[in-house]
Amino acid sequence: MSTTQRRAATPRRPPPSAPLGAFRYRLMLGLILLALCMLGARIAYLHVIDRSFLQGQGDARTLRVESISAHRGMITDRNGEPLAISTPVVSLWANPQELPPDDIQRLVLAKALDVDLDDLNARIARYSEREFMYLRRQMTPADAQEVLDLNLPGIYRQLEYRRYYPSGEASAQLLGVTNVDDRGQEGLELAYNNYLSGTPGKRRVLKDRRGRLVRDLHLLKEADPGGELVLAMDQRLQYMAYRELKAAVQERNADGGTLVMMDARTGEVLAMANQPSYNPNNRAGLDPRSLRNQAIVDVFEPGSVMKPLAMSAALETDRYSPDTVVDTSPGWMRLDNRFTIRDFRNYGKLTLGGILRKSSNIGMSRIALDLPDTAVVDTYRRLGLGQSPGTGFPGEADGTLPAPVRLADSQRASLAYGYGLSVSALQLASAYTAIANHGRRLPPSLLKRDEPPEGSVVIEPRVADELLGMMEQVVQPDTGAHRGVVPGYRVAGKTGTVHKASGGGYEEDAYRGLFVGIAPASDPRLVTVVMIDHPRGGDYYGGLVAAPVFSTVVGNALRLLDVPPDQDTLQDTPSSADAP
């Protein structure tokens, strides 16, 4: 069969009729035109009638409200010298889901951040389900820009502030520190955190899809910086006090030390130094013990430096005067059948002034036992001991005093020479302002005062003046406190040497050496407490380890404060004297 015959045999379908094809064509065309009309109507509706929808969608992808960091308020000394300032820094953060997975780019990023690649990869994996993670906090703007210049996707910056302390370790415990979020964590930074913290502002900005700033549109709210805190501290005196205290602690191989210097006329704390200390600008390897401001939060038994304060209770009675004689023979006494009190040696008969000069425990005990049961405790309480100093410093100690009830003879005696109670160095300095200020005790202040406080009279003015004169005789070239002499100035003071308490008893070979002094005695300007904790190497008496620090610091301080020298001072120092 030929090809022509096969074709002829195959049945042919009839072509579609013309009317059906035309209908289909018109139907499809109509549907397309209808869809175009509906699309056009929708476009017109969204652009003309309901413009807010598209505008909102666009704004949601490009407009952002950013926080404007408010810098923390500055802390200055009384003369306006900066002690704590906030410097601008940059924190880098990333969206882990946008970071490049390429190992080479990750390695470049790790080197720019100065981190280990494995650590970086581990952090990215840990935050892989989130959209935010910090890459590095508080970088300098220059270092942060080097990372941003890599132009890697998913990396963004955040402007912040970091605290910087120009005085370094000299005033670290007093000022305290802030954390990485610039919030106070210790010291005055914590106590006044709300005042120092600023209120962040807000601004509206335009960003591209990668989060990069395109344009700053307008300011919504200005940032309100934190308030400025002016301390009573004099930075010059603080540096000097810290330097001398540190040198003494190192020389004596001591566990630590504390120095508090108060203005005798205002109660302001002009210097407060502690050892050991730390650098608040570099806290790597920080020992938590060095964070404590020992002068305020630590308490100790003060020992013989309490004798002038206890003696005020006797001088306020009609039975005692500075010339009253007390027999201290034979140099020891036993109380309550178990408690033995001893002097350094048998001093025999001593006046009250002699008791202070020789630091006689027996003399003070006999006086205390001759007074009403609670006379000494009541005097201590009036002087602010056993209660909060009221500075507002975090963790400030109240100290301890026995309850004002009938006490055993051994308790009454030991309180008179500084055992059986605990005080902080700041409390001790504040108590001595009553002697320096004609009987008026001034509450301590860490902040600069606009005018001196009224204070409260806690000792008769006559008694305070008598005690000041008696204490001046303690610090003479021929006494155990001769190392506390300040050339050119009259000084009143008292030494103290006390066993350290431990485990319900006292450590046999561990002591604290103290010296409390008022200078110049002719017109008191400074009250200073020095405590050296557990000095080693043989010398541990307060007159040997603490008094020299007082002499150097106070002598320099009086000259810095332009206090005129006294004309009638003894300046020769003997080679030996009674043990303090």
Side-chain angles (χ1 to χ4, degrees):
M1 184 181 292
S2 66
T3 304
T4 303
Q5 291 174 333
R6 286 197 302 268
R7 289 177 178 173
T10 303
R12 298 180 62 188
R13 296 179 181 178
S17 62
L20 181 59
F23 172 75
R24 289 178 177 177
Y25 174 75
R26 287 193 295 272
L27 178 61
M28 294 302 297
L29 183 61
L31 290 175
I32 294 172
L33 291 175
L34 179 61
L36 290 175
C37 289
M38 292 177 63
L39 181 61
R42 180 62 177 168
I43 293 174
Y45 176 79
L46 292 175
H47 280 77
V48 178
I49 300 175
D50 190 16
R51 299 179 58 187
S52 60
F53 174 75
L54 287 180
Q55 186 174 357
Q57 291 297 310
D59 289 348
R61 290 162 174 77
T62 59
L63 291 183
R64 297 286 185 273
V65 175
E66 285 193 341
S67 175
I68 304 175
S69 298
H71 68 80
R72 193 172 177 85
M74 184 165 59
I75 302 178
T76 71
D77 81 338
R78 64 185 302 106
N79 300 314
E81 293 295 323
L83 299 173
I85 58 178
S86 291
T87 57
V89 292
V90 176
S91 289
L92 295 180
W93 65 276
N95 183 342
Q97 301 176 13
E98 298 178 3
L99 288 174
D102 182 71
D103 290 339
I104 300 300
Q105 291 180 306
R106 292 266 183 101
L107 178 60
V108 172
L109 176 60
K111 288 185 177 181
L113 292 171
D114 193 23
V115 298
D116 185 75
L117 176 60
D118 293 337
D119 292 340
L120 177 62
N121 286 331
R123 292 188 67 243
I124 294 174
R126 189 164 64 250
Y127 290 92
S128 60
E129 300 299 324
R130 304 182 187 180
E131 296 183 353
F132 179 92
M133 62 171 278
Y134 278 113
L135 290 175
R136 188 173 171 186
R137 300 291 301 271
Q138 297 188 345
M139 302 176 66
T140 64
D143 290 342
Q145 191 59 46
E146 290 182 7
V147 179
L148 294 172
D149 288 343
L150 298 175
N151 291 322
L152 297 177
I155 299 177
Y156 310 92
R157 71 173 186 167
Q158 176 179 313
L159 299 180
E160 295 179 325
Y161 288 93
R162 179 182 180 182
R163 209 62 161 162
Y164 175 69
Y165 302 92
S167 57
E169 62 183 42
S171 52
Q173 291 95 345
L174 176 61
L175 298 176
V177 292
T178 59
N179 62 11
V180 72
D181 294 316
D182 213 23
R183 307 289 295 178
Q185 297 294 292
E186 298 284 346
L188 294 177
E189 292 277 27
L190 175 59
Y192 293 93
N193 182 66
N194 292 336
Y195 176 75
L196 292 167
S197 297
T199 303
K202 295 181 180 179
R203 63 174 182 171
R204 192 181 300 277
V205 298
L206 182 66
K207 292 189 173 184
D208 64 12
R209 65 182 183 86
R210 295 187 60 186
R212 294 174 298 191
L213 180 65
V214 176
R215 188 166 68 252
D216 205 335
L217 297 178
H218 58 275
L219 181 67
L220 299 177
K221 178 185 177 183
E222 289 188 358
D224 186 15
E228 181 176 311
L229 197 65
V230 182
L231 303 190
M233 176 204 299
D234 187 319
Q235 190 174 16
R236 302 169 301 170
L237 305 184
Q238 180 70 19
Y239 272 124
M240 180 179 56
Y242 178 77
R243 181 189 66 214
E244 297 301 326
L245 181 67
K246 183 177 181 179
V249 168
Q250 291 178 344
E251 179 185 357
R252 303 293 178 179
N253 192 25
D255 287 347
T258 296
L259 185 150
V260 176
M261 180 185 292
M262 287 181 62
D263 190 316
R265 298 177 177 179
T266 66
E268 294 171 308
V269 178
L270 301 179
M272 179 177 285
N274 295 278
Q275 272 291 302
S277 187
Y278 67 99
N279 182 0
N281 301 310
N282 181 10
R283 287 168 247 170
L286 173 65
D287 183 354
R289 294 177 301 174
S290 62
L291 288 169
R292 295 198 326 272
N293 187 351
Q294 301 173 55
I296 299 180
V297 305
D298 284 3
V299 294
F300 51 88
E301 286 184 309
S304 294
V305 294
M306 297 301 296
K307 289 173 180 175
L309 303 178
M311 192 171 284
S312 67
L315 290 172
E316 287 184 325
T317 69
D318 295 334
R319 288 176 291 177
Y320 290 93
S321 70
D323 297 325
T324 300
V325 176
V326 176
D327 189 359
T328 68
S329 300
W332 63 275
M333 63 188 301
R334 191 169 182 83
L335 299 175
D336 300 333
N337 297 321
R338 61 180 178 84
F339 195 81
T340 303
I341 303 171
R342 290 184 174 85
D343 276 341
F344 184 75
R345 61 181 178 85
N346 183 6
Y347 295 117
K349 294 182 178 181
L350 295 173
T351 64
L352 265 61
I355 289 174
L356 291 185
R357 281 172 60 92
K358 302 298 184 181
S359 197
S360 171
N361 294 338
I362 302 299
M364 288 304 306
S365 297
R366 295 196 187 282
I367 293 172
L369 294 174
D370 189 46
L371 298 175
D373 288 353
T374 62
V376 174
V377 172
D378 291 341
T379 298
Y380 287 168
R381 201 169 298 279
R382 292 201 311 270
L383 290 165
L385 306 181
Q387 51 200 296
S388 172
T391 63
F393 192 88
E396 66 178 2
D398 295 345
T400 59
L401 279 178
V405 296
R406 180 175 176 82
L407 302 173
D409 288 348
S410 58
Q411 288 179 288
R412 294 165 58 192
S414 60
L415 282 172
Y417 58 86
Y419 282 82
L421 75 158
S422 64
V423 302
S424 68
L426 181 63
Q427 286 179 312
L428 195 55
S430 178
Y432 265 86
T433 61
I435 296 177
N437 216 21
H438 306 293
R440 187 164 53 93
R441 186 184 78 87
L442 300 178
S445 176
L446 301 177
L447 305 184
K448 185 178 181 180
R449 284 173 164 155
D450 295 329
E451 55 184 42
E454 188 65 27
S456 55
V457 177
V458 295
I459 300 176
E460 292 181 12
R462 168 190 61 82
V463 172
D465 294 343
E466 289 174 347
L467 284 171
L468 186 65
M470 294 160 66
M471 289 173 59
E472 186 177 355
Q473 296 304 311
V474 172
V475 189
Q476 294 295 330
D478 60 344
T479 67
H482 66 273
R483 294 175 185 264
V485 169
V486 177
Y489 296 92
R490 292 164 53 189
V491 173
K494 184 68 186 78
T495 62
T497 306
V498 59
H499 279 279
K500 290 186 65 172
S502 176
Y506 293 95
E507 298 181 41
E508 183 176 354
D509 297 321
Y511 300 87
R512 288 188 175 95
L514 293 98
F515 187 89
V516 181
I518 300 170
S522 56
D523 184 16
R525 290 290 305 275
L526 301 176
V527 175
T528 305
V529 174
V530 181
M531 187 273 288
I532 305 297
D533 185 13
H534 194 188
R536 297 174 178 84
D539 293 335
Y540 55 84
Y541 289 113
L544 299 177
V545 299
V549 180
F550 170 89
S551 175
T552 302
V553 172
V554 172
N556 291 333
L558 292 173
R559 287 185 284 273
L560 282 173
L561 296 174
D562 292 327
V563 177
D566 294 304
Q567 301 299 320
D568 52 345
T569 58
L570 297 174
Q571 302 196 17
D572 295 330
T573 302
S575 58
S576 63
D578 284 325

